Amino acid sequence: MEFKDYYAVMDVEPTASLKEIKTAYRRLARKYHPDVSSEVDAENKFKEVAEAYEVLKDTERRAEYDELRLHRNDPRFSQQQAAYNPGGQQWHSASGDTHDFSDFFESFFANRGSAANHSTRQSRGVRGQDLEMELPIFLEETLTEQTRSISYKIPSYDAAGRPGAETAKTLKVKIPAGVGDGERIRLKGQGAPGLGGGANGDLFLIIRIAPHPLFDVDGSNLQLVVPLAPWEAALGGSIEMPTLSGKITLTIPAGSQSGQKLRIKGKGLVSKKGTGDLYAILKIVMPPKPDEKTRELWGQLSEQVSFNPRTGWE
């Protein structure tokens, strides 16, 4: 449904006084009255002016319209209009005249003068705006539930729909274990306040996992490149390696190869399906440029070991 900007129709500012609105109405009514006007489409323009004046001349109705105008760009606007008037009805003035006003007027303002209807309108109100903010989390913090203090600002608007000063707010929130990058956590009622008795909006926290300098994430599993000296890979042994929850001892099998994966069960990330694993990816690293004695030892090894790493080429 198209939103009607009654202030634009009346050619007045949203802050216009009642006197200014009445003056504008008299001027436009004379300009577009079908009996005397030579303007193109004068009859429809006259109806628009009359409709706008019916809303803006009434203090209560104008305040309600200003609330709607504030949220005119809200994607939930079309849903909110249905809640205001489940069935569009023709509107009658106090004098009993019938006015052929727009669907917008019929949906929001038709047959709304009784105290009972006013009470229903106030109880429904307009829901406040939802807010979003990103929350950075370290990989280690995903293993257990965390309590974090967050600060954000809530927008405010005046009755004319103009933005006002933002309000700072601080909350302590619980971040469940196992959250993933991009996951949204909803904090009900912590968004912008509702209008006319409407419910507050919600605050959505968007989780952003900070990159780790050592571990790569693969679903609920982690991967860690483990550098090995050539003799460690050849002879095997035990080395100390890090995990997200502390250091462990990793046994390296003799004759290990670069690219070989060793699985450490239960040292991955927490998820709804359980805890993942950590995979140590072995990488053989040569020492820096050898000195004379080291070169001699490598030479002796090459003479004593019959090994050709390129046999697959044959």
Side-chain angles (χ1 to χ4, degrees):
M1 177 185 297
E2 180 184 0
F3 178 84
K4 291 281 188 179
D5 191 339
Y6 290 144
Y7 292 110
V9 171
M10 298 289 290
D11 194 25
V12 297
E13 294 295 325
T15 55
S17 66
L18 180 58
K19 181 179 179 181
E20 291 172 321
I21 290 172
K22 288 182 177 180
T23 300
Y25 173 68
R26 287 193 293 267
R27 173 176 56 83
L28 294 172
R30 284 195 299 268
K31 180 178 180 180
Y32 295 121
H33 198 286
D35 294 340
V36 298
S37 178
S38 60
E39 296 282 338
V40 177
D41 203 21
E43 183 177 355
N44 287 331
K45 290 181 179 178
F46 181 79
K47 288 179 180 179
E48 286 185 346
V49 170
E51 177 179 323
Y53 183 60
E54 283 295 332
V55 173
L56 299 183
K57 72 178 182 179
D58 183 272
T59 303
E60 180 182 312
R61 192 180 286 138
R62 181 181 179 182
E64 181 180 346
Y65 171 74
D66 286 338
E67 292 179 4
L68 295 173
R69 187 173 181 272
L70 170 64
H71 292 269
R72 62 190 180 277
N73 295 323
D74 193 317
R76 295 183 299 274
F77 176 79
S78 60
Q79 299 173 357
Q80 292 169 350
Q81 67 88 16
Y84 272 82
N85 190 29
Q89 302 177 15
Q90 195 173 41
W91 181 78
H92 299 265
S93 70
S95 63
D97 297 331
T98 299
H99 294 264
D100 183 19
F101 285 163
S102 68
D103 290 341
F104 174 80
F105 182 94
E106 297 290 348
S107 292
F108 288 103
F109 302 104
N111 293 332
R112 308 275 309 282
S114 69
N117 283 337
H118 174 69
S119 176
T120 300
R121 177 171 72 250
Q122 289 293 343
S123 64
R124 286 172 178 165
V126 178
R127 187 178 182 277
Q129 178 185 353
D130 289 338
L131 304 177
E132 289 186 351
M133 67 173 292
E134 293 192 348
L135 183 64
I137 298 288
F138 290 117
L139 206 55
E140 293 88 341
E141 294 177 311
T142 67
L143 298 181
T144 58
E145 182 183 273
Q146 302 288 321
T147 299
R148 297 281 293 273
S149 179
I150 63 170
S151 296
Y152 61 104
K153 293 184 177 180
I154 298 177
S156 64
Y157 301 88
D158 62 17
R162 295 171 301 186
E166 293 182 320
T167 303
K169 189 170 185 177
T170 300
L171 292 175
K172 282 190 176 181
V173 298
K174 289 186 178 181
I175 310 301
V179 292
D181 189 62
E183 187 171 335
R184 290 160 60 91
I185 298 176
R186 176 191 178 201
L187 302 178
K188 187 176 180 180
Q190 298 300 333
L195 298 173
N200 289 356
D202 300 329
L203 172 65
F204 289 89
L205 301 180
I206 303 175
I207 301 298
R208 294 300 179 204
I209 305 296
H212 198 280
L214 296 179
F215 299 99
D216 291 325
V217 178
D218 180 19
S220 62
N221 297 324
L222 294 175
Q223 295 180 348
L224 174 66
V225 174
V226 178
L228 295 177
W231 49 89
E232 290 177 319
L235 302 176
S238 296
I239 65 169
E240 193 177 66
M241 69 169 286
T243 71
L244 285 181
S245 56
K247 293 183 178 180
I248 62 169
T249 299
L250 177 66
T251 299
I252 306 297
S256 293
Q257 304 290 323
S258 274
Q260 183 175 342
K261 290 184 178 181
L262 303 180
R263 176 190 176 205
I264 300 95
K265 187 176 180 180
K267 288 297 183 180
L269 298 176
V270 175
S271 71
K272 294 179 180 179
K273 297 181 180 179
T275 304
D277 302 325
L278 170 61
Y279 288 87
I281 303 175
L282 305 183
K283 179 182 178 181
I284 298 174
V285 180
M286 294 296 296
K289 186 176 180 179
D291 56 22
E292 201 59 39
K293 183 176 181 180
T294 303
R295 184 185 297 274
E296 182 180 344
L297 292 173
W298 281 119
Q300 294 175 10
L301 179 62
S302 66
E303 293 173 358
Q304 295 179 19
V305 178
S306 177
F307 173 63
N308 181 4
R310 295 171 293 279
T311 54
W313 291 0
E314 300 175 357

